[in-house]
Amino acid sequence: MKILLAASEASPFVRTGGLGDVMGALPLALKRKKQDVAVVIPLYEDMKPEYRNNLQYIGNITVPLGWRNQYAGVFKSNYNGIDYYFIDNEFYFKRKGFYGHFDDGERFAFFSKAVLETMQVTKFYPDVLHCNDWQTGLIPLYLDCFYRYVDGYKTMKTVLTIHNIEFQGNMDKYVIDNVFGIPASHYAIAEYKHDANMLKAGIESSNRVVTVSPTYANEILDPYYSYGLDNILNARRYKLSGIVNGIDVDLYDPETDKALFANYNYKTYAKKAENKHGLQELFGLPKNDKPVLGMVTRLTTQKGIDLILGVIRDILSMDLQLVILGTGDWKYENALKEVAKQFPTKLATAIYFSADVASKIYAGSDIFLMPSKYEPCGLSQMIAMRYGTIPVVRETGGLKDTVPAFNPETKEGLGFTFKTYNAHDMLDAIRRALDCYYQPELWYKGVVKNAMSADFSWDKSAEQYLALYKSL
């Protein structure tokens, strides 16, 4: 089967978050299952130079977009045996930063149209065109409007994955005609609540809609989680399903991760203590064997930072240390800095992001805190478990699907959970985790063993995507 994945980013070329990770790992997992896979993303100015400087130019084409005719150059790179195509247009992509520009709607409308037009250059006509998030939401609509009766496109099927429904590509409905160039007969598909909505266009037009966990697929049918699209999703629920993401188990491996102070596995779990002491020294905390809680997160409301701050003094009154790495909302950054000044031996904050430091926190912590208000999938909890660091999570989205609650009686489960978005319920889950931690036999032979032996690879997820593609 020929599969083309279209996205706004893909690791290792361009990555700002989970979408980039998925576009790096899923194509490789599909290739291992003997599928003919390719990926297409924009050619950004800020793409890593070591990759940008080794691209092969393969041609160009003119892309009609509303009343415009825009140049689209096509470049190619083969990485891990997979062809990655890059669509070049300096007017749209030769600028600093990937997102957040005033004309993002036009930029990604162009990219969506160019994905289809440049197939005439790449000669890669897929059986399934797999789109991702609002930046590619117009592709299924463009396919139906302009290409459905053209040779090479006639039998093409489309899948749209929603990685985070909060971001929908909303803008003034004026762009539907002036920028998108959608025929009047299809205006309603791209319009929602008197605005243009690129994600809604993709939901309406694609053959199947997928979220990045089964629980999130159910949650977004509720107004609390849907950011206004619940009625559209409920009307189209027959084509909605969820497939949980995996992680790159070769990249996130405590046996081989070069960022760690000491490599280890389950059998050499005692070496994890060296990572704890190294982490404590790195952050200027007292070196001891007290439990360390770690967080690698964006400092936003979604990630439950307000819950942390609501009971921060209760947390720090326990016999533990807390290490937090991440950036985000100014109010959260400053609040955490102020508390860290008051509790210099208990709380350490790093208001930046570093993959190297993140690995050290995954390995050096005993417990990983992730009390998200909502979480489409989440990768950090799976990475933490891979390193034998036990998650405390709220039962939402992918957290619920990947972290079944640990039962001390049966020794089944992978972490400690709470249901309601409530700071004291989170505090109770932390206390339950600490209680287990102070029972070394139960901790090591129970929850740690379960977590470190769990399969978080992309293999199972790729099988589910492949079954979905075949069903089309």
Side-chain angles (χ1 to χ4, degrees), residues 9-21 48 98 252 353 379:
E9 58 185 75
S11 180
F13 304 97
V14 175
R15 179 195 177 278
T16 66
L19 173 60
D21 289 331
K48 296 176 181 178
F98 309 117
Y252 299 112
F353 183 77
L379 301 178

Side-chain angles (χ1 to χ4, degrees), residues 156-222:
M156 203 177 289
K157 302 297 182 181
T158 52
V159 175
L160 173 70
T161 293
I162 301 173
H163 296 262
N164 191 335
I165 202 167
E166 179 179 359
F167 306 105
Q168 300 177 6
N170 303 93
M171 59 212 71
D172 193 291
K173 67 178 181 180
Y174 163 80
V175 303
I176 296 175
D177 175 44
N178 186 269
V179 177
F180 298 171
I182 302 296
S185 58
H186 290 70
Y187 273 15
I189 295 175
E191 184 181 348
Y192 189 58
K193 294 183 177 178
H194 307 294
D195 286 323
N197 188 306
M198 295 169 77
L199 184 64
K200 186 254 188 184
I203 293 169
E204 295 268 36
S205 304
S206 58
N207 296 112
R208 290 294 298 271
V209 179
V210 185
T211 67
V212 288
S213 69
T215 295
Y216 192 59
N218 287 323
E219 286 178 342
I220 61 174
L221 297 174
D222 187 289

Side-chain angles (χ1 to χ4, degrees), residues 164-333:
N164 191 335
I165 202 167
E166 179 179 359
F167 306 105
Q168 300 177 6
N170 303 93
M171 59 212 71
D172 193 291
K173 67 178 181 180
Y174 163 80
V175 303
I176 296 175
D177 175 44
N178 186 269
V179 177
F180 298 171
I182 302 296
S185 58
H186 290 70
Y187 273 15
I189 295 175
E191 184 181 348
Y192 189 58
K193 294 183 177 178
H194 307 294
D195 286 323
N197 188 306
M198 295 169 77
L199 184 64
K200 186 254 188 184
I203 293 169
E204 295 268 36
S205 304
S206 58
N207 296 112
R208 290 294 298 271
V209 179
V210 185
T211 67
V212 288
S213 69
T215 295
Y216 192 59
N218 287 323
E219 286 178 342
I220 61 174
L221 297 174
D222 187 289
Y224 183 81
Y225 292 98
S226 71
Y227 284 87
L229 283 177
D230 48 287
N231 61 335
I232 298 297
L233 289 162
N234 276 287
R236 303 287 181 268
R237 65 190 306 170
Y238 64 88
K239 61 179 177 182
L240 177 66
S241 59
I243 298 175
V244 73
N245 286 337
I247 60 172
D248 187 334
V249 294
D250 295 321
L251 177 63
Y252 299 112
D253 185 348
E255 280 194 278
T256 59
D257 191 336
K258 294 179 181 178
L260 305 194
F261 294 105
N263 292 110
Y264 63 97
N265 55 31
Y266 178 69
K267 292 182 178 178
T268 60
Y269 179 78
K271 289 185 178 180
K272 188 171 167 65
E274 295 180 44
N275 288 287
K276 177 190 286 191
H277 296 154
L279 182 67
Q280 290 169 328
E281 186 174 0
L282 176 67
F283 281 95
L285 296 170
K287 288 177 66 174
N288 53 45
D289 293 322
K290 293 178 180 179
V292 173
L293 273 66
M295 293 186 73
V296 178
T297 185
R298 294 196 315 276
L299 302 178
T300 63
T301 302
Q302 180 209 332
K303 298 298 183 179
I305 306 303
D306 51 342
L307 295 190
I308 303 290
L309 289 169
V311 292
I312 189 73
R313 283 168 175 76
D314 296 273
I315 295 173
L316 297 178
S317 70
M318 303 180 200
D319 197 22
L320 54 76
Q321 296 170 347
L322 174 60
V323 177
I324 301 175
L325 170 70
T327 62
D329 292 351
W330 177 84
K331 62 179 180 179
Y332 293 137
E333 292 182 355

Side-chain angles (χ1 to χ4, degrees), residues 1-3 29-30 32-37 126-130 155-159 207-208 210 241 243 459 461-472:
M1 185 182 298
K2 297 179 74 172
I3 303 158
L30 291 169
R32 288 172 179 155
K33 297 186 180 301
K34 312 300 182 186
Q35 305 304 307
D36 187 2
V37 186
D127 301 303
V128 175
L129 178 47
H130 185 162
T155 60
M156 203 177 289
K157 302 297 182 181
T158 52
V159 175
N207 296 112
R208 290 294 298 271
V210 185
S241 59
I243 298 175
D459 187 66
S461 303
E463 279 287 353
Q464 292 176 284
Y465 271 115
L466 194 53
L468 177 71
Y469 299 153
K470 289 179 178 178
S471 73
L472 295 175

Side-chain angles (χ1 to χ4, degrees), residues 107 133 165 319 321 417 431:
R107 295 171 71 223
D133 273 345
I165 202 167
D319 197 22
Q321 296 170 347
T417 70
R431 287 176 175 141

